[in-house]
Amino acid sequence: MRLAGMTAIVTGAASGLGEATVRRFHKEGARVIVADIDLAKAEKVAADLDVDGKTAKALACDISKSEECETLIDEAEAFFGGPVDIFHANAGVAFSGNLLEIAPEKIERAIQINLIGAIFSAQAALRSLSRSEKPALLFTSSLQAVLGRPGRSAYTATKHAITGLVKSLSLEFGPAGVRVNALAPVGIDTPLLRDQLSRTTDNVDARIAAMADNLPLRRMPTPQDFTDSAVFLVSQEARCITGQTLVLDCGASAGIAEPRTR
């Protein structure tokens, strides 16, 4: 119950890491908004958390539209009866492929959602967070915030930009007491990742094991690893931590790991 009495919004919360995080925030005692572009899925998550709708509510939001971000905050404040304490800017889209072969629309979408959407949603949230007594703004970033990767150019650019955004916002809103941080995970063993891998291999478990073997700790992070870190960063246990990107990568960014000898 480390978030007891607090209010929280998670974007992209109808599935994946966003859903895992909003569930964890609720379990830790926070009243939550399950925000997602897919309202039907968000409503299922919110109803599963609280069928009476007193501690969890679903709201639709396309973070690439500033007016929808503003409406999200207005409706959240009405539900909470006060300002937002925690805002987790988690919504995003993937991007892969050789830059010379990617359609301009796909590049624009990655930038519009992963960067501009993050800025729009943070802008709206900060108007409310600045009035909270224990405000925390958390972004979901990626290992590509600190390292490059072939075939992920536009995605990598947006995540590098989030690192700079976190630093600037921490300086700009620190005097108001707002802490701003990001979580930057390597690939996480989720049903979504397994589904993606199943399209290119018949042995998903072997592929996951091979990916884990390339990491110094010989394991991949799990959704619980992610939510453990998220709860820490938005809680008062991290009250002196701001402007940081916490890399959740099982050692991948430390250097080149020695291959496992079998």
Side-chain angles (χ1 to χ4, degrees):
M1 300 298 287
R2 285 179 286 176
L3 306 182
M6 301 185 76
T7 60
I9 299 175
V10 180
T11 64
S15 61
L17 293 177
E19 179 183 354
T21 303
V22 81
R23 288 181 180 278
R24 181 64 182 277
F25 284 178
H26 188 265
K27 184 177 180 180
E28 294 285 348
R31 296 174 66 204
V32 299
I33 294 293
V34 184
D36 202 278
I37 196 170
D38 190 331
L39 181 59
K41 287 186 177 180
E43 288 176 335
K44 290 181 180 179
V45 174
D48 188 46
L49 292 175
D50 179 11
V51 69
D52 295 323
K54 295 180 180 179
T55 60
K57 181 179 178 64
L59 291 174
C61 183
D62 179 348
I63 63 168
S64 69
K65 299 177 180 178
S66 61
E67 63 274 15
E68 291 198 22
C69 293
E70 297 290 346
T71 298
L72 170 65
I73 299 303
D74 289 343
E75 293 185 6
E77 286 192 334
F79 176 67
F80 294 144
V84 177
D85 299 316
I86 299 164
F87 189 86
H88 183 189
N90 169 76
V93 294
F95 174 99
S96 62
N98 185 296
L99 186 62
L100 299 182
E101 300 169 357
I102 296 296
E105 303 81 53
K106 190 173 181 181
I107 296 171
E108 290 176 349
R109 177 168 171 74
I111 295 171
Q112 187 68 33
I113 301 296
N114 293 352
L115 179 55
I116 297 177
I119 294 173
F120 281 166
S121 59
Q123 180 185 48
L126 282 162
R127 303 188 204 282
S128 187
L129 290 168
S130 296
R131 293 184 283 107
S132 167
E133 294 183 359
K134 300 175 181 179
L137 173 58
L138 178 65
F139 292 89
T140 294
S141 188
S142 164
L143 180 60
Q144 268 67 71
V146 296
L147 294 177
R149 184 180 177 186
R152 298 289 192 276
S153 55
Y155 183 83
T156 299
T158 63
K159 294 304 181 180
H160 268 65
I162 293 298
T163 300
L165 180 64
V166 165
K167 291 179 179 180
S168 293
L169 291 180
S170 69
L171 297 173
E172 188 171 347
F173 291 89
V178 183
R179 296 186 301 105
V180 186
N181 294 292
L183 265 177
V186 71
I188 293 181
D189 187 355
T190 63
L192 176 61
L193 176 62
R194 288 177 173 270
D195 178 64
Q196 292 174 335
L197 293 177
S198 70
R199 302 171 192 174
T200 58
T201 180
D202 293 328
N203 193 335
V204 173
D205 286 338
R207 182 70 178 276
I208 291 287
M211 293 170 68
D213 275 354
N214 285 328
L215 300 174
L217 290 182
R218 310 302 188 192
R219 63 179 293 263
M220 294 174 66
T222 65
Q224 182 176 342
D225 293 322
F226 183 89
T227 61
D228 282 348
S229 298
V231 169
F232 168 69
L233 285 175
V234 302
S235 75
Q236 287 302 289
E237 293 175 3
R239 57 189 172 274
C240 289
I241 300 176
T242 192
Q244 304 302 309
T245 294
L246 177 60
V247 182
L248 190 70
D249 68 351
C250 295
S253 60
I256 300 173
E258 290 294 326
R260 177 177 293 224
T261 302
R262 294 187 182 280

